[in-house]
Amino acid sequence: MTDQLPPPVLIADSPAIDFLNSVAVPVDTKVEWLRSGEDLITWLLQAGMLPTDIPPIVRKASAPGELDAVAGQARALREWFRKFVDAHKGRPLKPKALQELGPLNRILARDEEFGQVVAREKIRRVRPASAEDSGPESVSGLVWSPQRRWRSPDSLLLPIARAMAELICENDFTHVKACEGHNCVLMFVDRTRGRARRWCSMAVCGNRAKQAAHRERAHLARK
Ligand SMILES: [Zn+2]
């Protein structure tokens, strides 16, 4: 089911916003990266949100049709979160936003996360190493590695919900932005120093805007 899909758009500098971008219009037609359960697994692997040894475990625990149903839940979670982000982006989150977060906290309550002490080099690199992980202060050869019990297919929603919680708790929503590109639906967290990011990517929407401005100037010059 994944043969026709282009690579996912992972430009958001935030896994939770990358997840919102799992339906988009990369060229002219809308692409849905989460059509099925297998699509969802593929997307999570490509986004670095699922350890590579987990898909066989989840498939085995799944009744026929169950994985596809989870993909439906993932799409519903995505569109619910899009409404929340759209309503709150551009300014810091207030404590009263919690009133809207019941659906997210209900998913998070199902999580069976635990930790293990592992050798530093053996830690599974699900996400790129953080700076503090490899910094000069890392004197111990052992490290805390968060793990999760993947008991049923709907555990696939947990890394997504966790990413949403991290975006909400650890980021300034002032810097959550929508691409300014014409007809572009992609969003991102602006982590640039001057907070001047305007485009999903310079190569796509940035360039289009530059060309449009150029055409406009050329048109005015001819007048
Ligand atoms: Zn764009």
Side-chain angles (χ1 to χ4, degrees):
M1 283 292 284
T2 51
D3 43 353
Q4 305 291 317
L5 286 174
V9 185
L10 304 172
I11 51 83
D13 262 340
S14 151
I17 303 287
D18 279 334
F19 184 68
L20 290 186
N21 293 339
S22 65
V23 59
V25 189
V27 188
D28 291 319
T29 37
K30 183 168 143 179
V31 177
E32 168 61 82
W33 274 269
L34 310 179
R35 299 167 303 181
S36 65
E38 285 302 322
D39 277 0
L40 174 64
I41 288 173
T42 303
W43 189 91
L44 285 168
L45 288 171
Q46 287 171 321
M49 291 167 75
L50 188 65
T52 50
D53 50 342
I54 299 304
I57 298 171
V58 170
R59 283 187 195 109
K60 214 170 143 201
S62 171
E66 209 180 348
L67 265 180
D68 290 341
V70 172
Q73 291 169 33
R75 291 191 301 268
L77 175 64
R78 182 184 66 194
E79 298 319 311
W80 168 82
F81 192 58
R82 190 186 311 283
K83 282 202 192 94
F84 179 86
V85 172
D86 270 339
H88 293 281
K89 70 182 192 304
R91 57 190 190 283
L93 279 175
K94 299 264 163 40
K96 72 172 197 297
L98 181 60
Q99 291 166 2
E100 299 163 47
L101 292 174
L104 179 62
N105 271 338
R106 276 195 290 280
I107 294 172
L108 290 166
R110 302 205 302 254
D111 206 348
E112 293 193 71
E113 204 180 52
F114 62 102
Q116 294 276 281
V117 176
V118 298
R120 184 166 291 278
E121 64 273 16
K122 289 233 177 79
I123 187 169
R124 211 158 28 198
R125 291 276 175 236
V126 169
R127 277 259 146 198
S130 66
E132 79 184 310
D133 211 31
S134 54
E137 281 103 275
S138 304
V139 287
S140 175
L142 301 173
V143 67
W144 178 256
S145 167
Q147 320 251 330
R148 174 176 283 122
R149 285 182 229 287
W150 305 82
R151 289 200 202 279
S152 62
D154 63 5
S155 350
L156 292 174
L157 300 177
L158 295 172
I160 299 166
R162 181 59 183 267
M164 290 172 176
E166 280 171 9
L167 175 73
I168 288 168
C169 300
E170 293 166 17
N171 287 265
D172 184 345
F173 259 52
T174 310
H175 309 307
V176 176
K177 297 180 178 178
C179 175
E180 293 179 27
H182 182 60
N183 281 344
C184 183
V185 298
L186 297 175
M187 299 180 72
F188 53 86
V189 178
D190 182 358
R191 301 193 193 278
T192 61
R193 199 175 290 267
R195 309 290 184 191
R197 182 172 169 186
R198 299 173 62 193
W199 317 108
C200 57
S201 88
M202 222 31 233
V204 183
C205 287
N207 237 337
R208 269 185 212 151
K210 225 161 48 183
Q211 283 164 1
H214 180 78
R215 275 196 304 273
E216 176 76 0
R217 276 196 304 274
H219 178 74
L220 288 175
R222 274 200 304 274
K223 274 191 173 171

